[in-house]
Amino acid sequence: MGERAATDAKPHYAGHRERLRARFLKAPDSLADYEVLEMLLFNAIPQRDTKPLAKELIEKFGGLSEVLNAEEARLREVKGIKDRVVAELRLAREAGLRLSQAKVLKKDVIGSWSALLDYCATAMAHNPTEQFRILFLDRKNHLIADEVQQKGTVDHTPVYPREVVKRALELNASALILVHNHPSGDPTPSGADIEMTKRIVETAKPLGIEVHDHLVVGKGRHASFRSLGLI
Protein backbone atom coordinates (compact mmCIF):
# COMPACT_ATOMS: atom_id res chain seq x y z
CA MET A 1 0.00 0.00 0.00
CA GLY A 2 2.81 2.38 0.89
CA GLU A 3 4.50 1.79 -2.45
CA ARG A 4 1.24 2.33 -4.36
CA ALA A 5 0.51 5.57 -2.50
CA ALA A 6 3.96 6.88 -3.31
CA THR A 7 3.50 5.97 -6.97
CA ASP A 8 0.09 7.68 -7.19
CA ALA A 9 1.21 10.86 -5.42
CA LYS A 10 1.34 13.97 -7.56
CA PRO A 11 4.75 15.57 -8.09
CA HIS A 12 5.45 18.53 -5.82
CA TYR A 13 5.12 21.03 -8.66
CA ALA A 14 1.63 19.89 -9.74
CA GLY A 15 -0.16 21.95 -7.11
CA HIS A 16 2.08 24.91 -7.91
CA ARG A 17 1.11 24.75 -11.58
CA GLU A 18 -2.56 24.72 -10.72
CA ARG A 19 -2.16 27.72 -8.41
CA LEU A 20 -0.14 29.62 -11.02
CA ARG A 21 -2.78 28.98 -13.68
CA ALA A 22 -5.47 30.21 -11.29
CA ARG A 23 -3.49 33.39 -10.57
CA PHE A 24 -2.98 33.97 -14.28
CA LEU A 25 -6.66 33.58 -15.11
CA LYS A 26 -7.63 35.94 -12.30
CA ALA A 27 -4.99 38.63 -12.89
CA PRO A 28 -2.54 38.04 -15.79
CA ASP A 29 -0.66 41.27 -15.04
CA SER A 30 0.21 40.05 -11.56
CA LEU A 31 2.67 37.44 -12.83
CA ALA A 32 6.38 38.20 -13.02
CA ASP A 33 8.25 37.58 -16.27
CA TYR A 34 9.73 34.33 -14.98
CA GLU A 35 6.25 33.09 -14.01
CA VAL A 36 4.86 33.77 -17.49
CA LEU A 37 7.86 31.95 -18.95
CA GLU A 38 7.36 29.15 -16.45
CA MET A 39 3.81 28.67 -17.75
CA LEU A 40 4.99 28.68 -21.35
CA LEU A 41 7.28 25.81 -20.46
CA PHE A 42 4.53 23.67 -18.90
CA ASN A 43 3.63 21.95 -22.17
CA ALA A 44 7.22 21.56 -23.34
CA ILE A 45 8.36 20.06 -20.03
CA PRO A 46 5.34 18.26 -18.55
CA GLN A 47 7.20 16.17 -15.99
CA ARG A 48 9.54 18.65 -14.39
CA ASP A 49 9.39 21.81 -12.29
CA THR A 50 9.91 24.60 -14.83
CA LYS A 51 10.52 27.43 -12.36
CA PRO A 52 14.32 26.95 -12.08
CA LEU A 53 14.73 26.86 -15.88
CA ALA A 54 12.50 29.93 -16.33
CA LYS A 55 14.54 31.89 -13.78
CA GLU A 56 17.81 30.78 -15.39
CA LEU A 57 16.65 31.93 -18.82
CA ILE A 58 15.50 35.31 -17.50
CA GLU A 59 18.84 35.77 -15.73
CA LYS A 60 20.84 34.80 -18.82
CA PHE A 61 18.97 36.92 -21.36
CA GLY A 62 17.65 39.76 -19.21
CA GLY A 63 13.88 39.52 -19.63
CA LEU A 64 10.94 37.66 -21.16
CA SER A 65 11.10 39.52 -24.47
CA GLU A 66 14.82 38.80 -24.76
CA VAL A 67 14.23 35.09 -24.12
CA LEU A 68 11.52 34.87 -26.78
CA ASN A 69 13.75 36.64 -29.30
CA ALA A 70 16.98 34.81 -28.45
CA GLU A 71 18.80 32.90 -31.16
CA GLU A 72 18.26 29.17 -31.05
CA ALA A 73 21.97 28.44 -30.66
CA ARG A 74 22.14 30.62 -27.55
CA LEU A 75 18.99 29.07 -26.10
CA ARG A 76 20.52 25.62 -26.47
CA GLU A 77 23.51 26.69 -24.41
CA VAL A 78 21.20 26.39 -21.39
CA LYS A 79 20.92 22.89 -19.94
CA GLY A 80 17.44 21.48 -20.43
CA ILE A 81 16.64 23.38 -23.64
CA LYS A 82 15.58 20.87 -26.29
CA ASP A 83 13.44 20.95 -29.42
CA ARG A 84 10.11 21.12 -27.57
CA VAL A 85 11.22 24.12 -25.53
CA VAL A 86 12.57 25.95 -28.57
CA ALA A 87 9.33 25.28 -30.44
CA GLU A 88 7.20 26.53 -27.52
CA LEU A 89 9.18 29.76 -27.26
CA ARG A 90 9.04 30.34 -31.01
CA LEU A 91 5.30 29.72 -30.96
CA ALA A 92 4.78 32.34 -28.26
CA ARG A 93 6.87 34.85 -30.19
CA GLU A 94 5.03 34.17 -33.45
CA ALA A 95 1.64 34.54 -31.77
CA GLY A 96 2.66 37.91 -30.32
CA LEU A 97 4.03 39.07 -33.65
CA ARG A 98 0.86 38.13 -35.53
CA LEU A 99 -1.29 39.85 -32.92
CA SER A 100 0.71 43.06 -33.36
CA GLN A 101 0.59 42.73 -37.14
CA ALA A 102 -3.20 42.28 -37.15
CA LYS A 103 -3.56 45.73 -35.59
CA VAL A 104 -1.99 47.40 -38.64
CA LEU A 105 -2.60 45.05 -41.58
CA LYS A 106 -4.98 46.52 -44.16
CA LYS A 107 -5.52 49.61 -42.03
CA ASP A 108 -4.48 53.23 -42.38
CA VAL A 109 -1.07 52.95 -40.76
CA ILE A 110 -0.64 56.72 -40.56
CA GLY A 111 -3.73 56.81 -38.36
CA SER A 112 -2.52 53.78 -36.39
CA TRP A 113 1.02 55.02 -35.79
CA SER A 114 1.31 53.78 -32.22
CA ALA A 115 0.22 50.28 -33.23
CA LEU A 116 2.70 50.39 -36.11
CA LEU A 117 5.56 51.29 -33.78
CA ASP A 118 4.56 48.48 -31.43
CA TYR A 119 4.56 46.03 -34.32
CA CYS A 120 7.98 47.15 -35.56
CA ALA A 121 9.41 46.88 -32.06
CA THR A 122 7.95 43.40 -31.59
CA ALA A 123 9.30 42.24 -34.93
CA MET A 124 12.76 43.79 -34.83
CA ALA A 125 13.93 45.39 -31.60
CA HIS A 126 15.75 42.33 -30.27
CA ASN A 127 17.24 40.96 -33.47
CA PRO A 128 20.97 40.35 -32.95
CA THR A 129 21.77 41.48 -36.52
CA GLU A 130 20.52 44.32 -38.68
CA GLN A 131 17.37 43.69 -40.68
CA PHE A 132 15.86 45.99 -43.29
CA ARG A 133 12.18 45.67 -44.00
CA ILE A 134 9.72 47.67 -46.06
CA LEU A 135 6.06 48.37 -45.38
CA PHE A 136 4.25 48.78 -48.69
CA LEU A 137 1.15 51.00 -48.67
CA ASP A 138 -1.70 51.59 -51.11
CA ARG A 139 -3.23 54.96 -51.98
CA LYS A 140 -5.25 54.95 -48.76
CA ASN A 141 -2.09 54.25 -46.73
CA HIS A 142 -3.34 50.76 -45.95
CA LEU A 143 -0.59 48.23 -45.34
CA ILE A 144 -0.66 45.75 -48.22
CA ALA A 145 2.65 43.99 -47.59
CA ASP A 146 5.45 43.83 -45.05
CA GLU A 147 8.64 42.25 -46.34
CA VAL A 148 12.13 41.75 -45.04
CA GLN A 149 14.37 42.86 -47.88
CA GLN A 150 17.81 42.28 -46.45
CA LYS A 151 19.59 40.87 -43.42
CA GLY A 152 23.10 41.90 -42.53
CA THR A 153 25.68 41.90 -39.78
CA VAL A 154 25.51 43.49 -36.35
CA ASP A 155 26.07 46.94 -37.83
CA HIS A 156 25.42 46.85 -41.56
CA THR A 157 22.72 45.79 -44.00
CA PRO A 158 23.21 46.19 -47.76
CA VAL A 159 20.21 47.91 -49.38
CA TYR A 160 19.72 48.48 -53.10
CA PRO A 161 17.32 51.33 -53.95
CA ARG A 162 16.44 49.96 -57.39
CA GLU A 163 15.38 46.64 -55.86
CA VAL A 164 13.25 48.46 -53.29
CA VAL A 165 11.43 50.47 -55.95
CA LYS A 166 11.12 47.48 -58.27
CA ARG A 167 9.31 45.55 -55.56
CA ALA A 168 7.02 48.52 -54.86
CA LEU A 169 6.02 48.60 -58.52
CA GLU A 170 5.36 44.85 -58.51
CA LEU A 171 2.98 45.30 -55.57
CA ASN A 172 1.40 48.44 -57.06
CA ALA A 173 2.33 50.30 -53.88
CA SER A 174 1.92 54.07 -53.73
CA ALA A 175 4.02 54.68 -50.64
CA LEU A 176 6.65 53.07 -48.44
CA ILE A 177 7.75 53.10 -44.84
CA LEU A 178 11.32 51.90 -44.41
CA VAL A 179 12.24 50.18 -41.17
CA HIS A 180 15.46 48.77 -39.83
CA ASN A 181 16.88 47.93 -36.43
CA HIS A 182 20.07 48.81 -34.61
CA PRO A 183 21.17 45.79 -32.55
CA SER A 184 23.22 48.12 -30.35
CA GLY A 185 19.93 49.47 -29.01
CA ASP A 186 20.72 53.07 -30.00
CA PRO A 187 18.28 54.14 -32.77
CA THR A 188 20.26 57.24 -33.79
CA PRO A 189 20.49 57.20 -37.63
CA SER A 190 24.00 56.75 -38.99
CA GLY A 191 25.48 58.63 -41.93
CA ALA A 192 25.03 55.49 -44.04
CA ASP A 193 21.36 55.29 -43.00
CA ILE A 194 20.78 58.88 -44.08
CA GLU A 195 22.55 58.45 -47.42
CA MET A 196 20.74 55.20 -48.22
CA THR A 197 17.36 56.76 -47.43
CA LYS A 198 18.12 59.74 -49.63
CA ARG A 199 18.92 57.44 -52.55
CA ILE A 200 15.68 55.47 -52.12
CA VAL A 201 13.62 58.70 -51.97
CA GLU A 202 15.32 60.00 -55.12
CA THR A 203 14.74 56.72 -56.95
CA ALA A 204 11.10 56.37 -55.90
CA LYS A 205 9.89 59.96 -56.39
CA PRO A 206 9.98 60.10 -60.22
CA LEU A 207 7.81 56.96 -60.29
CA GLY A 208 5.16 58.49 -58.03
CA ILE A 209 6.11 56.45 -54.97
CA GLU A 210 6.39 58.39 -51.72
CA VAL A 211 8.60 57.42 -48.81
CA HIS A 212 6.55 58.41 -45.77
CA ASP A 213 9.22 57.67 -43.19
CA HIS A 214 12.23 55.63 -42.23
CA LEU A 215 12.05 54.18 -38.72
CA VAL A 216 15.11 53.00 -36.86
CA VAL A 217 14.19 50.60 -34.06
CA GLY A 218 16.33 50.22 -30.96
CA LYS A 219 15.65 48.58 -27.63
CA GLY A 220 12.77 50.48 -26.09
CA ARG A 221 13.37 53.47 -28.39
CA HIS A 222 12.96 54.44 -32.03
CA ALA A 223 13.96 57.27 -34.36
CA SER A 224 11.79 58.70 -37.14
CA PHE A 225 13.49 60.32 -40.12
CA ARG A 226 10.33 62.37 -40.70
CA SER A 227 10.33 63.72 -37.14
CA LEU A 228 14.05 64.46 -37.36
CA GLY A 229 13.58 66.42 -40.58
CA LEU A 230 15.66 63.94 -42.60
CA ILE A 231 12.88 63.30 -45.12
Side-chain angles (χ1 to χ4, degrees), residues 62-181:
L64 179 59
S65 180
E66 287 79 4
V67 172
L68 296 180
N69 285 280
E71 292 180 292
E72 181 177 338
R74 292 202 64 208
L75 285 172
R76 291 184 184 274
E77 292 173 359
V78 179
K79 185 178 179 181
I81 299 295
K82 300 188 183 301
D83 289 350
R84 290 185 66 175
V85 172
V86 172
E88 200 73 22
L89 297 178
R90 288 291 173 268
L91 178 62
R93 182 186 186 281
E94 185 63 23
L97 182 59
R98 294 190 185 198
L99 180 62
S100 294
Q101 187 182 58
K103 294 179 180 179
V104 296
L105 193 62
K106 296 181 180 180
K107 296 179 180 178
D108 178 357
V109 297
I110 305 302
S112 309
W113 199 248
S114 179
L116 177 67
L117 293 175
D118 287 344
Y119 167 62
C120 291
T122 300
M124 304 177 72
H126 297 283
N127 284 353
T129 58
E130 271 202 14
Q131 182 185 88
F132 182 81
R133 69 198 306 142
I134 303 175
L135 308 182
F136 298 92
L137 312 179
D138 65 14
R139 294 185 183 281
K140 295 182 179 180
N141 288 323
H142 290 180
L143 181 63
I144 56 176
D146 166 21
E147 298 182 354
V148 175
Q149 295 295 306
Q150 298 289 341
K151 296 180 180 180
T153 63
V154 295
D155 59 2
H156 178 66
T157 302
V159 179
Y160 305 100
R162 289 185 180 180
E163 292 299 317
V164 171
V165 175
K166 177 183 176 183
R167 184 59 179 151
L169 292 172
E170 290 173 350
L171 293 170
N172 197 30
S174 299
L176 310 172
I177 296 176
L178 314 176
V179 190
H180 84 280
N181 64 305

Side-chain angles (χ1 to χ4, degrees), residues 170-230:
E170 290 173 350
L171 293 170
N172 197 30
S174 299
L176 310 172
I177 296 176
L178 314 176
V179 190
H180 84 280
N181 64 305
H182 279 180
S184 67
D186 181 359
T188 304
S190 67
D193 294 338
I194 295 170
E195 179 59 28
M196 176 265 291
T197 304
K198 180 181 178 181
R199 288 171 56 209
I200 293 177
V201 171
E202 291 174 347
T203 305
K205 189 173 182 179
L207 297 173
I209 300 171
E210 183 179 357
V211 178
H212 281 323
D213 208 340
H214 184 167
L215 301 174
V216 185
V217 178
K219 294 176 181 177
R221 295 184 294 160
H222 76 278
S224 159
F225 274 50
R226 178 72 63 181
S227 296
L228 293 171
L230 297 173

